Amino acid sequence: MGILSGRRLLITGIRAESSIAYHVAQRCEKEGAELVLSAPPRALAALKLVAASLQTNPRVIELDVNSVTDIDGLAKLIGGKLDGVLHSIAFAPKAALGGFMPTSFDAFSVAVQTSAFSFKELIRGVTPILNPGASVVAMSFDPSVAWPSYDWMGVSKAALEAIARYLARELGPLGVQVNIVSPGVISSPAALGIPGFDLLASAFENPPLKWDVHDVGTTVTTLLSGLMPGVTGEVLKVDGGMHAIGAK
């Protein structure tokens, strides 16, 4: 009997076994969760291959979070109730990274829609099937700092965290928690696509407390378990304490 025994979760954003969402899925199934995994059409085949490496062989569904049609039909597609959701989705075109001033609104709009507005849309789609006591988590990266090369993705993450606060207000009366987990730099598929990733990673060297992606998975799993009642609208940083002493 694990802390997620009897809980059914939707996990988005698995692109490979190195994805943060994959480590969350691994930990969640070990804790007894029933998993539903989602990916957009272009990534569905890859997700099915990765899902086969999980012990519980979870169900995989097709979901484009930028498609109103997909979101409107999501509750019916999933069927039954959910006790938790992980939003681990982010994308910015190259024109929105590695150069702040030249970025067009069109490039930014793609970044903010996929990386931030999609959180609201995802939760809108599943709200009818969320059980009281459900927990919703989204993945961020500290937007309080103007990181080199991160540019409009940083702005999108700031929007994501603001959206989480509004969702916490909206879903609180339903008994649903909404929180953000913000890790330090991890060599995930998404992070490796950022120009100047090595420069970002160097800012998180030598933290006070050693940590890795498994610690991120544990934090997200604990939030999804409902064992942190009364915590909502919060940002939990899992970076070994670098946010407390300042990146060097």
Side-chain angles (χ1 to χ4, degrees), residues 120-232:
K120 187 276 293 185
E121 284 291 271
L122 177 65
I123 303 311
R124 178 177 70 81
V126 299
T127 294
I129 58 173
L130 287 177
N131 279 320
S135 177
V136 172
V137 178
M139 303 303 304
S140 187
F141 180 70
D142 187 6
S144 68
V145 175
W147 299 106
S149 300
Y150 204 53
D151 297 324
W152 290 96
M153 181 60 83
V155 177
S156 298
K157 291 297 188 181
L160 175 74
E161 294 190 5
I163 288 168
R165 291 189 289 271
Y166 279 92
L167 284 174
R169 185 188 69 182
E170 295 292 322
L171 298 184
L174 303 179
V176 176
Q177 298 171 260
V178 182
N179 291 291
I180 294 282
V181 171
S182 180
V185 174
I186 294 173
S187 297
S188 66
L192 292 174
I194 300 170
F197 170 77
D198 291 343
L199 184 61
L200 272 178
S202 67
F204 283 82
E205 292 177 350
N206 303 314
L209 186 67
K210 296 300 180 183
W211 68 281
D212 60 23
V213 69
H214 300 288
D215 300 320
V216 179
T218 297
T219 301
V220 175
T221 299
T222 304
L223 283 170
L224 291 173
S225 72
L227 291 177
M228 298 179 68
V231 177
T232 197

Side-chain angles (χ1 to χ4, degrees), residues 44-88:
L44 196 62
L47 175 58
K48 288 179 178 178
L49 289 175
V50 176
S53 69
L54 293 168
Q55 295 180 356
T56 57
N57 192 25
R59 181 185 172 200
V60 173
I61 62 171
E62 182 178 310
L63 173 64
D64 179 353
V65 291
N66 290 337
S67 166
V68 173
T69 300
D70 281 10
I71 293 298
D72 287 347
L74 183 56
K76 183 177 180 180
L77 176 62
I78 292 173
K81 294 289 189 175
L82 285 176
D83 301 290
V85 180
L86 173 66
H87 178 282
S88 186

Side-chain angles (χ1 to χ4, degrees), residues 90-115 146-157 190 193-196 200:
F91 172 77
K94 291 182 179 179
L97 299 169
F100 188 80
M101 295 302 289
T103 301
S104 68
F105 178 75
D106 287 345
F108 168 61
S109 66
V110 172
V112 75
Q113 179 183 16
T114 307
S115 307
W147 299 106
S149 300
Y150 204 53
D151 297 324
W152 290 96
M153 181 60 83
V155 177
S156 298
K157 291 297 188 181
I194 300 170
L200 272 178

